[in-house]
Amino acid sequence: MCLAVPGEIISIKGDDLLSRCGQVRFGDVMREVCLAFVPEAVAGNYVLVHAGIAISVLDEAAAQRTFRALEEIE
């Protein structure tokens, strides 16, 4: 089993599919994430990130539901 965490893409750099990466915000934390597996992603999208790699794009409503669920765990 893996754990993927949603984050919002703030900016993207790199034109080549394999080197494309972005700054992704996870609450108050920003991290550089590989975007090679989500070529359709644009700044402002939410992505699921596992081990520093975005594995899928999700809509904002789904991301917000996940954020609320994570807050309830705390």
Side-chain angles (χ1 to χ4, degrees):
M1 177 184 353
C2 69
L3 174 65
V5 181
E8 181 184 9
I9 300 173
I10 303 304
S11 64
I12 296 175
K13 64 180 178 180
D15 296 325
D16 178 35
L17 178 63
L18 294 177
S19 65
R20 192 167 179 257
C21 62
Q23 285 293 316
V24 177
R25 179 174 48 215
F26 303 93
D28 295 334
V29 177
M30 297 280 286
R31 293 282 186 252
E32 187 167 295
V33 171
C34 173
L35 300 174
F37 294 147
V38 288
E40 72 277 17
V42 296
N45 283 162
Y46 286 84
V47 289
L48 281 177
V49 178
H50 171 69
I53 301 171
I55 57 175
S56 68
V57 176
L58 69 156
D59 62 48
E60 184 175 359
Q64 294 302 328
R65 284 193 303 272
T66 303
F67 295 145
R68 284 193 298 275
L70 290 172
E71 287 175 0
E72 289 177 8
I73 292 171
E74 290 183 47

